[in-house]
Amino acid sequence: MHEELIIGGFGGQGVLFIGRLLAEAAFREGHEVVFMPSYGAEKRGGTVWCHVTISDEEIGSLFITKPTMAIAMNSASLIKLEPMMKPESLLVVNQSLAPQEISRADIQVVSVPANDLAAELGDSSVSNLVALGALLAGRPVVPLASLTTALEGMPAKNKELLQLNKRALEVGYTRAQKDAVPHGRR
Amino acid sequence: MTLDTPELDTVLYHKPEALEDYPFHFCPGCGHGIVFRLIAEVIDELKIKERAVCVASIGCTVTSYHYFNFDGLESAHGRAPAVATAIKRCRPNLVPFTYQGDGDLAAIGTAEIVHACARGENITTIFANNAIYGMTGGQMAPTTLLGMYSTSTPGGRQPSRAGYPIRVCEMLSTLDGPAYVARVSVHNPAAVRKAKQAIKLAFRAQLANLGMSLVEVLSPCPTNWRVEPVKAMDWLVEHLLPQYPLGEYKVIPAVADLKKESRRA
Amino acid sequence: MPKKILMAGNIAIAEGAILAGCQAYFGYPITPQNELLEHMAKRMPEEGRVFVQTESELAAISMLYGAAAAGCRAMTSTSSPGFSLQQEGISYMAGAELPAVLVNVMRGGPGLGNIGGAQGDYFQATKGGGHGDYRLINLAPASAQEMMDLTMLAFELADKYRNPVVLLTDGFLGQAMEPVIIRQPVTELPDKPWAITGAAGRPKNVINSFEMEPANFQPRVSLLLQKFERIKQNEVRYQGIHLDDASLVIVAYGSASRSALTALKMARQKGLRVGLLRPITLFPFPYQILADLAQKVSDFLVAELSSGQFIEDVKLAVGLDKRVELASQYGGVPLAPETILETIERMSKVTIGR
Ligand SMILES: Cc1ncc(C[n+]2csc(CCOP(=O)(O)OP(=O)(O)O)c2C)c(N)n1
Ligand code: SF4
Ligand SMILES: [Mg+2]
């Protein structure tokens, strides 16, 4: 296996958290991983990025230029990500904040209204985990169960939040499996 | 009853000329923006835009020169008073001022500010004290309060390991060089008005060749204090004011005369 | 089983220092090395060791001088502008033969530059940097694991040669998280009879770098130079990948070598016989290894995150009759494997046409 994932979104959307979480899970599954966050002043206001490479070989570049997977948490990151995607790659789009049409026909797109689904769970701040769940449904890089295990190892404020995070992962996963709306054709 | 409406062409409030049409990039609720506006108003009122020079320091205000509509330059971390010294000595007609954070002025730049004051350089320093290293992400500053959390004092600042906060105005006012040293704050409109008066007096002291003038402004950093903007103002009042009392710490007689003059005017 | 965990490079350096028996740490905040200082702020007191957040990098280097003189294993960490500030103190330490570890998590320069990763301090770090005739041992990690391992080695080499050692890395490696095997802690620290420990039961010790009479100072410098020769003889370290059948060799260190590895794999898939030579020590530089390679390879490609600094040493090693080209980024911008691959392809085409 060799997957290269870029996640993009606003500061505060938990972009780094889900990147780190997936990296932890993949690491526990025995893969080589690199988690490369954007850092410093970028964190304030603008778009936040992270790059996660998961492989069964020694990983070279710390950066990803042609992702095989991506999550666009907002419209600004979708605009940047769409043209970067490798053919046949998987693009997960947070439809709630990135409703625009996607023109590329050579990539697989999974759209989930991550913020709306998270709000239904009672807290729109877990939209990141909904999106990560959807990614996993589109491409099972790690088993869902190993993500939930990794979640338990991450710093969390309290038990309720941990449960909520798990629920959000599952909701995203099931939604993407069952009835992911083909993007731009709603 | 009729309402007293101002004539439509009466301008009540406008962006100071000395400010560039350039958005501040500070976090919501940051104090730096308020202080910048005050400086710009003062420069407008004193009509010194053509002579003013902003010597930026290193911190969240590193790009100060983008916001002001007059000459400005970067200086290495902590060295702004030395840069301003040279500008004033080489071109005495200019009105250089430094804008420095607490890390910049009271840690890495302690030597430069002390010696600019000791020499009584005829420059002005606006010193924004937010008790934290803002730009680098919230490490302990020399002004961080005892017990206060920072990313490099994870259990709160402990004097046994990290020493005590520095009171800059108190310390510098023991020197003979400075003409005017004052501490102000921007936590409410009344405080902001007083802050502006102090900043104006500082610039007037320089214009009257009276020597070094320094205004410390207590300024909120909601991001690194980890509180919401409005709460940050309360936090400032509750925690910073007791440690850093407001007031004038040094006013030489000639500056006192300037003050009287403006009261008469 | 040793513990293996995901760790950012900056944290791996901090933990590596603690494992190596670092007794004192001094630092001043600067991005992109802040996590290192912040981690030390927590861990050093936990271990009952010394942590000081200094008022500047100038203070940090002088505290390092003091700690090293007192015979303690000690470290400071900074990023480019702070490293520049430290040069005077570093020269004093080299002159006084004080062992210590200096970490430079390089960022985009010159000047204030930016917080992106870069390798623009190559000349400064590897050629001395401060005033006078001296060299620093330079170690260049290329992964989070090496951030830990080479930090530990840095302490060893510093003590072995009584010389400051630089861990020369960059913001990208500092931030990237990768699996790291936690090494065994060093339990026995070397004796330092020369150290300032109090003249009780022994003649007094003096640490300085000063001789009034030039004729007396010269022999001291000669001894330093002899030491640097011994280091050149004994401490060259590098990694070679696919060098056996390579017709083109990429030379790269640190995070640039990571991009180069990906470029190498892409080139190999296209049937191009590409190898990679990755210096692990930048001083001592693997001149001889490269010179030997140049006996059978005539095409070299240097990949660096600076605008042609590292390439000068490669040219010196392989000779002016070899073709040495540059694929670089600078000013804090990462180097994409594709950029290196393009240069490989261009060089390969021209070679065939020749
Ligand atoms: C020589 C050097 N060391 C460290 C830094 C990193 N640095 C940038 S800003 C800053 C501190 C800023 O804090 P402060 O002066 O309080 O300003 P604030 O951001 O809080 O307004 C530091 C340490 C640098 N740029 N140069
Ligand atoms: S980090 Fe603090 S000082 Fe810097 S811009 Fe934000 S609020 Fe202002
Ligand atoms: Mg500050």
Side-chain angles (χ1 to χ4, degrees):
Chain A
M1 178 177 57
H2 185 88
E3 297 285 358
E4 302 185 0
L5 165 71
I6 300 185
I7 311 174
F10 295 125
Q13 274 188 306
V15 164
L16 302 183
F17 183 82
I18 52 170
R20 168 90 197 274
L21 180 67
L22 182 64
E24 284 284 351
F27 165 62
R28 285 163 198 230
E29 290 290 319
H31 303 294
E32 292 295 326
V33 294
V34 172
F35 169 70
M36 183 74 219
S38 62
Y39 57 92
E42 278 178 282
K43 276 190 214 154
R44 278 176 216 130
T47 310
V48 176
W49 297 96
C50 71
H51 295 198
V52 185
T53 309
I54 303 172
S55 185
D56 289 331
E57 293 178 19
E58 187 186 356
I59 297 172
S61 179
L62 302 173
F63 294 94
I64 297 167
T65 36
K66 294 209 173 74
T68 63
M69 307 188 295
I71 300 177
M73 287 300 293
N74 65 359
S75 176
S77 59
L78 179 56
I79 291 168
K80 284 221 172 130
L81 283 167
E82 191 187 342
M84 290 173 78
M85 302 301 295
K86 222 179 182 149
E88 313 287 298
S89 58
L90 168 69
L91 176 59
V92 174
V93 179
N94 175 12
Q95 223 168 15
S96 314
L97 296 182
Q100 67 257 48
E101 299 253 334
I102 286 173
S103 54
R104 283 196 46 182
D106 61 337
I107 60 174
Q108 184 196 348
V109 178
V110 170
S111 295
V112 279
N115 283 63
D116 302 307
L117 290 175
E120 279 171 29
L121 284 174
D123 189 345
S124 60
S125 74
V126 294
S127 60
N128 57 342
L129 287 137
V130 176
L132 183 61
L135 178 90
L136 233 57
R139 199 169 287 186
V141 260
V142 295
L144 186 63
S146 97
L147 265 191
T148 44
T149 315
L151 204 47
E152 278 158 20
M154 299 278 283
K157 278 195 204 110
N158 53 46
K159 265 231 152 72
E160 284 101 81
L161 190 63
L162 182 66
Q163 284 311 319
L164 186 65
N165 280 338
K166 284 186 185 172
R167 287 280 304 133
L169 264 179
E170 282 156 16
V171 165
Y173 186 83
T174 359
R175 175 65 173 252
Q177 259 193 338
K178 279 197 199 121
D179 53 8
V181 186
H183 201 89
R185 267 173 256 149
R186 276 163 299 148
Chain B
M1 191 183 77
T2 52
L3 277 177
D4 271 343
T5 43
E7 296 286 318
L8 274 180
D9 56 358
T10 315
V11 177
L12 294 178
Y13 193 77
H14 63 90
K15 185 172 70 62
E17 300 253 312
L19 273 190
E20 194 74 72
D21 221 346
Y22 189 95
F24 288 136
H25 68 273
F26 306 122
C27 309
C30 176
H32 285 314
I34 305 173
V35 187
F36 272 49
R37 164 146 192 135
L38 296 182
I39 295 171
E41 286 179 2
V42 164
I43 284 174
D44 277 7
E45 287 166 22
L46 297 174
K47 300 192 174 56
I48 51 171
K49 193 164 85 71
E50 281 71 31
R51 296 161 63 197
V53 178
C54 171
V55 183
S57 67
I58 308 294
C60 284
T61 57
V62 60
T63 54
S64 301
Y65 41 76
H66 283 329
Y67 312 124
F68 290 121
N69 187 14
F70 48 81
D71 282 4
L73 70 162
E74 173 183 297
S75 59
H77 197 17
R79 319 291 175 226
V83 174
T85 294
I87 287 176
K88 189 73 184 184
R89 297 239 182 168
C90 295
R91 297 195 182 278
N93 187 42
L94 294 182
V95 186
F97 68 94
T98 70
Y99 189 103
Q100 300 176 258
D102 43 337
D104 190 272
L105 181 141
I108 195 167
T110 327
E112 280 74 10
I113 193 65
V114 167
H115 288 278
C117 283
R119 291 191 305 267
E121 287 303 334
N122 193 28
I123 59 172
T124 301
T125 288
I126 309 299
F127 164 45
N129 178 2
N130 56 15
I132 201 85
Y133 282 48
M135 190 191 213
T136 43
Q139 295 83 10
M140 179 188 73
T143 44
T144 295
L145 305 178
L146 290 186
M148 181 176 162
Y149 169 85
S150 78
T151 58
S152 56
T153 51
R157 182 176 188 170
Q158 281 174 38
S160 59
R161 283 194 198 131
Y164 297 85
I166 295 180
R167 293 190 195 86
V168 169
C169 286
E170 288 84 336
M171 186 173 80
L172 293 178
S173 58
T174 64
L175 297 171
D176 295 332
Y180 182 63
V181 176
R183 184 182 292 122
V184 295
S185 174
V186 290
H187 61 272
N188 65 27
V192 170
R193 264 197 302 277
K194 280 198 181 144
K196 182 173 168 185
Q197 281 165 9
I199 292 171
K200 192 164 182 178
L201 190 56
F203 275 97
R204 288 177 64 209
Q206 182 181 162
L207 291 173
N209 291 320
L210 298 179
M212 181 86 193
S213 52
L214 181 144
V215 178
E216 172 175 344
V217 187
L218 301 182
S219 168
C221 172
T223 301
N224 289 301
W225 294 356
R226 303 184 182 208
V227 290
E228 279 150 27
V230 178
K231 289 218 182 90
M233 295 299 189
D234 300 338
W235 196 92
L236 188 158
V237 172
E238 202 176 316
H239 295 97
L240 286 195
L241 288 186
Q243 171 72 24
Y244 301 114
L246 305 186
E248 291 180 321
Y249 286 84
K250 179 142 196 224
V251 187
I252 61 167
V255 174
D257 290 346
L258 280 183
K259 249 177 111 174
K260 272 185 228 143
E261 238 176 68
S262 58
R263 232 177 266 136
R264 255 181 265 126
Chain C
M1 261 262 289
K3 225 167 96 185
K4 189 178 180 185
I5 53 176
L6 262 193
M7 243 188 202
N10 279 336
I11 309 296
I13 296 173
E15 286 296 328
I18 290 168
L19 289 169
C22 175
Q23 291 151 290
Y25 170 91
F26 312 98
Y28 183 76
I30 185 164
T31 318
Q33 72 75 59
N34 289 323
E35 300 77 14
L36 206 174
L37 175 139
E38 288 165 358
H39 194 75
M40 287 305 232
K42 180 164 159 282
R43 291 282 287 121
M44 291 297 271
E46 272 174 19
E47 297 283 328
R49 308 186 196 178
V50 175
F51 168 89
V52 182
Q53 181 185 321
T54 62
E55 68 273 27
S56 69
E57 293 87 351
L58 284 177
I61 198 68
S62 290
M63 289 187 198
L64 192 70
Y65 179 102
C72 292
R73 283 199 161 176
M75 178 168 100
T76 184
S77 66
T78 184
S79 176
S80 307
F83 193 60
S84 289
L85 264 185
Q86 293 181 333
Q87 293 306 320
E88 180 198 37
I90 294 173
S91 171
Y92 276 69
M93 294 184 76
E97 293 200 85
L98 289 175
V101 175
L102 313 153
V103 179
N104 180 357
V105 186
M106 292 181 280
R107 66 186 223 175
L112 189 55
N114 60 51
I115 60 175
Q119 298 178 327
D121 308 352
Y122 181 83
F123 285 154
Q124 186 186 38
T126 62
K127 310 294 177 194
H131 58 283
D133 274 312
Y134 73 94
R135 287 289 192 276
L136 304 171
I137 298 173
N138 269 254
L139 304 179
S143 63
Q145 183 70 62
E146 280 193 351
M147 294 287 239
M148 174 172 286
D149 294 354
L150 296 185
T151 300
M152 296 181 74
L153 178 65
F155 280 97
E156 292 300 319
L157 294 179
D159 282 342
K160 182 170 169 191
Y161 293 99
R162 281 189 62 183
N163 205 66
V165 178
V166 179
L167 190 82
L168 192 66
T169 182
D170 65 68
F172 300 136
L173 278 166
Q175 302 293 324
M177 289 183 92
E178 298 188 276
V180 174
I181 298 169
I182 309 296
R183 306 297 184 191
Q184 288 302 311
V186 173
T187 46
E188 260 172 62
L189 299 182
D191 271 348
K192 298 180 180 177
W194 47 263
I196 301 294
T197 52
R202 61 156 171 78
K204 72 172 183 183
N205 282 340
V206 170
I207 286 177
N208 73 350
S209 63
F210 177 69
E211 289 291 343
M212 183 78 91
E213 181 55 54
N216 292 342
F217 191 52
Q218 198 181 35
R220 273 186 74 162
V221 182
S222 303
L223 284 177
L224 285 182
L225 300 182
Q226 284 163 26
K227 176 169 84 178
F228 301 141
E229 285 309 313
R230 282 202 308 283
I231 293 171
K232 287 184 198 167
Q233 290 305 315
N234 301 330
E235 304 299 344
V236 173
R237 287 170 172 80
Y238 65 94
Q239 183 193 13
I241 297 172
H242 290 315
L243 290 179
D244 296 342
D245 67 340
S247 59
L248 182 154
V249 172
I250 312 174
V251 192
Y253 72 96
S255 73
S257 74
R258 299 291 296 268
S259 301
L261 179 61
T262 298
L264 177 149
K265 287 183 187 170
M266 298 194 289
R268 286 260 161 190
Q269 269 174 7
K270 297 186 176 214
L272 298 170
R273 285 186 287 122
V274 174
L276 172 64
L277 184 92
R278 175 173 77 87
I280 294 172
T281 50
L282 298 174
F283 180 89
F285 189 86
Y287 289 111
Q288 194 55 52
I289 313 303
L290 270 163
D292 293 347
L293 260 178
Q295 299 292 321
K296 52 179 189 126
V297 179
S298 56
D299 282 8
F300 292 87
L301 166 56
V302 173
E304 59 175 295
L305 293 175
S306 43
S307 55
Q309 299 191 28
F310 177 61
I311 195 172
E312 290 198 3
D313 277 322
V314 177
K315 282 184 174 164
L316 201 59
V318 301
L320 290 178
D321 56 330
K322 302 294 172 199
R323 183 174 175 200
V324 184
E325 296 213 4
L326 179 67
S328 74
Q329 277 296 5
Y330 39 85
V333 177
L335 180 57
E338 286 79 5
T339 309
I340 305 174
L341 183 65
E342 274 162 29
T343 316
I344 295 174
E345 288 181 322
R346 186 166 44 75
M347 288 176 77
S348 306
K349 264 185 217 126
V350 180
T351 309
I352 293 162
R354 256 204 308 222

